Amino acid sequence: MPGGRPRAFDAEAALDRALEVFWRQGYEGTSLSDLTTAMDINRPSLYAAFGNKEQLFRAALDRYFSSPGAFATEALEAPTARGVVEQLVLGAVELTTGPHTPHGCLSVNSVHACGPDSEPIRQEVVARRMAGEAALRRRFEEATDLSADTDPQVLARLVYTVTDGIAVQAASGCTRDQLYQVANLALRTLFQLPS
């Protein structure tokens, strides 16, 4: 016996469009009407395919970290701590100033623009970011190219502070070239390189 009627839309493409809306407007700034318009589906189809807005956002967040934001996980594979930091900082510039994506960072926007009703989403994003910072700290603990007096936790937090700052600046209108200048200065400063 055949199952239900097949979906009349591409759920993966619809999720990509939802991701773009959340990325541009943040979780709280995005209405269901914004989502259904961008995804070109009606509310019953959205609920049937993705659940409620919170569930859709979590799916979009998964997509964000596994696709445009995947550079952060891939950077941990660099052979040196310097290489890890370079890939993270330059990757943040690429991600947040892309010509075909919203400027800024989905997770940074979502953490800073959530009211009390959206606290579960804020906590979800914070938990994911803390997990990323912990993974970076562990990578620095294994690094052989850091000085003995380097605190891996502080360095991981510093790198996240720089990449978050890049995202905020990108959302505020800084250009890719301007942020590459910032990123390169940060890298020279962190690793005491000549200018």
Side-chain angles (χ1 to χ4, degrees), residues 17 35 60 81 94 110 141:
R17 290 191 295 271
L35 291 166
E94 287 291 317
S110 298
E141 288 170 349

Side-chain angles (χ1 to χ4, degrees), residues 47-129:
Y47 294 137
F50 300 104
N52 60 22
K53 177 183 168 184
E54 187 174 315
Q55 291 168 312
L56 175 58
F57 180 80
R58 290 175 196 276
L61 200 58
D62 288 341
R63 175 65 57 94
Y64 179 78
F65 284 116
S66 68
S67 189
F71 76 92
T73 302
E74 294 163 3
L76 299 177
E77 301 300 320
T80 63
R82 179 180 171 194
V84 171
V85 174
E86 186 172 331
Q87 287 184 38
L88 287 170
V89 171
L90 298 178
V93 174
E94 287 291 317
L95 174 70
T96 62
T97 63
H100 305 294
T101 57
H103 286 190
C105 170
L106 173 64
S107 61
V108 171
N109 293 346
S110 298
V111 166
H112 297 292
C114 278
D117 291 342
S118 302
E119 184 60 18
I121 288 297
R122 192 188 74 75
Q123 288 179 5
E124 169 80 17
V125 174
V126 167
R128 289 183 189 221
R129 295 174 60 70

